[in-house]
Amino acid sequence: MAEITASMVKELREMTGLGMMECKKALAETAGDLKAAEDLLRIKSGAKASKAAGRIAAEGVVGAYISADSRCGALVEVNCETDFVAKNDDFINFSKNLAELIATKSLTDIAALSDSSLPSGETVESTRKALIMKLGENISIRRCAHHTTQGQLASYLHGTKIGVMVDYTGGDEVLGKDLAMHIAASKPMCVSKEQVSADVLEHERQIFTAQAADSGKPANIIEKMVDGRIAKYLAEITLVGQPFVKDPEQTVEKLLAKKSAKVNGFTMFVVGEGIEKKSENFAEEVKAQMGQV
């Protein structure tokens, strides 16, 4: 039987929002398979799919830049070890300079970015190493996104931890900012249902079918229930299907129609998304409840 560690329980708990012992039991039933345990808990509890973007698990900032004509822009995530360094002016300025460099030189990967030179003449890599020496923490450039458009770009930074860049056509600057703020708040996976992969939909259909099977209803009724759940799921994860945060009485799709506008795409970075951060006290708590101490 696979060993169920405290860190596995912690991760599953963060993914599902369910109790410690429920997570431990699910992991035991699935021989430590984290994804299978998540599916099992969803079937048993009716829980929604986990949202990794809701779990901020490392320190750092998101830097953003948009050109004066709003046709070119970039986002970059730069990580450090503590929130103290994340608030340092040199660290923040480094991320801003990186975003501008990515946009102006049309860079698309970290390797090319590291080899590029900043306006100071120093390379990004040498500047990063100098910051490490000065601030005393490991500093890494995790990811970046470059945008160009025939429409226009808008960005929104929620503090320095969440950054959004949205590419849209039509409407005005106010609409662009509203859309970017909405994405930061509601965290859609994609623009529309056409962009949701068949594999993702099939996986969710299997989960919903297993949940509905417990109702004891006839197969034809279960099929309608599952179709309804799929429609609701698509509305939750797609930008155009979501209720607009500033006016929940209308969807983003209806807002765009009123403004004769269209969203071409977007990027959202959440600092530390998917990175596990050590939490010694919580680990000890888990171990205690699992009888490991």
Side-chain angles (χ1 to χ4, degrees), residues 69-83:
D69 63 3
S70 298
R71 296 289 181 88
C72 175
L75 289 179
V76 62
E77 178 184 348
V78 186
N79 294 131
C80 57
E81 296 178 46
T82 66
D83 189 52

Side-chain angles (χ1 to χ4, degrees), residues 243-293:
F244 179 44
V245 290
K246 292 179 71 173
D247 179 12
E249 295 300 312
Q250 67 173 334
T251 62
V252 172
E253 184 174 30
K254 290 182 178 178
L255 170 68
L256 292 170
K258 286 181 181 179
K259 301 288 186 177
S260 299
K262 175 187 176 184
V263 173
N264 303 310
F266 67 86
T267 297
M268 177 178 65
F269 286 166
V270 178
V271 170
E273 177 185 349
I275 300 176
E276 185 174 352
K277 182 179 177 181
K278 291 180 72 175
S279 180
E280 298 298 340
N281 291 339
F282 182 84
E284 290 302 319
E285 175 191 347
V286 175
K287 288 179 182 178
Q289 294 203 29
M290 292 172 65
Q292 294 183 12
V293 295

Side-chain angles (χ1 to χ4, degrees), residues 2-284:
E3 180 187 2
I4 309 303
T5 66
S7 63
M8 291 166 65
V9 175
K10 174 180 180 292
E11 186 172 358
L12 185 58
R13 188 183 185 194
E14 289 177 342
M15 290 168 67
T16 62
L18 297 175
M20 214 176 292
M21 299 313 294
E22 288 177 279
C23 292
K24 179 191 173 187
K25 184 178 179 182
L27 283 165
E29 288 184 35
T30 58
D33 185 323
L34 193 65
K35 183 59 182 172
E38 181 191 4
D39 287 347
L40 179 62
L41 286 172
R42 289 186 60 200
I43 291 169
K44 288 184 174 181
S45 68
K48 295 179 182 179
S50 61
K51 288 188 176 181
R55 301 196 303 273
I56 299 176
E59 301 303 338
V61 299
V62 176
Y65 173 84
I66 293 180
S67 61
D69 63 3
S70 298
R71 296 289 181 88
C72 175
L75 289 179
V76 62
E77 178 184 348
V78 186
N79 294 131
C80 57
E81 296 178 46
T82 66
D83 189 52
F84 178 76
V85 165
K87 293 176 180 176
N88 177 273
D89 287 342
D90 290 335
F91 181 80
I92 292 171
N93 288 333
F94 178 59
S95 70
K96 290 179 180 178
N97 291 337
L98 291 182
E100 183 172 358
L101 186 63
I102 292 162
T104 55
K105 293 198 173 184
S106 301
L107 302 174
T108 58
D109 62 75
I110 302 304
L113 174 61
S114 297
D115 291 338
S116 299
S117 296
L118 291 161
S120 64
E122 296 292 323
T123 66
V124 168
E125 181 60 12
S126 63
T127 305
R128 183 185 73 86
K129 289 180 177 178
L131 269 180
I132 291 173
M133 293 293 291
K134 179 178 181 179
L135 300 177
E137 286 191 12
N138 185 35
I139 293 169
S140 62
I141 305 167
R142 186 181 181 206
R143 52 183 171 171
C144 64
H146 174 258
H147 281 266
T148 56
T149 180
Q150 293 302 307
Q152 52 192 328
L153 298 173
S155 66
Y156 172 70
L157 292 176
H158 186 70
T160 57
K161 301 296 186 183
I162 302 175
V164 173
M165 188 156 293
V166 58
D167 174 351
Y168 66 106
T169 304
D172 52 23
E173 289 185 9
V174 174
L175 175 65
K177 182 65 71 174
D178 282 349
L179 289 169
M181 290 178 69
H182 171 95
I183 292 166
S186 299
K187 298 179 174 63
M189 287 175 53
C190 53
V191 175
S192 64
K193 63 183 181 182
E194 288 76 20
Q195 296 173 346
V196 181
S197 74
D199 288 344
V200 168
L201 276 181
E202 179 57 27
H203 179 74
E204 292 303 312
R205 184 173 290 278
Q206 290 174 3
I207 295 292
F208 295 152
T209 300
Q211 291 173 349
D214 291 337
S215 68
K217 297 184 183 301
N220 63 320
I221 300 298
I222 287 178
E223 185 176 357
K224 290 181 180 179
M225 291 170 61
V226 171
D227 288 343
R229 291 290 300 277
I230 288 291
K232 184 179 179 183
Y233 171 74
L234 289 171
E236 290 173 348
I237 67 167
T238 59
L239 172 61
V240 296
Q242 293 177 336
F244 179 44
V245 290
K246 292 179 71 173
D247 179 12
E249 295 300 312
Q250 67 173 334
T251 62
V252 172
E253 184 174 30
K254 290 182 178 178
L255 170 68
L256 292 170
K258 286 181 181 179
K259 301 288 186 177
S260 299
K262 175 187 176 184
V263 173
N264 303 310
F266 67 86
T267 297
M268 177 178 65
F269 286 166
V270 178
V271 170
E273 177 185 349
I275 300 176
E276 185 174 352
K277 182 179 177 181
K278 291 180 72 175
S279 180
E280 298 298 340
N281 291 339
F282 182 84
E284 290 302 319

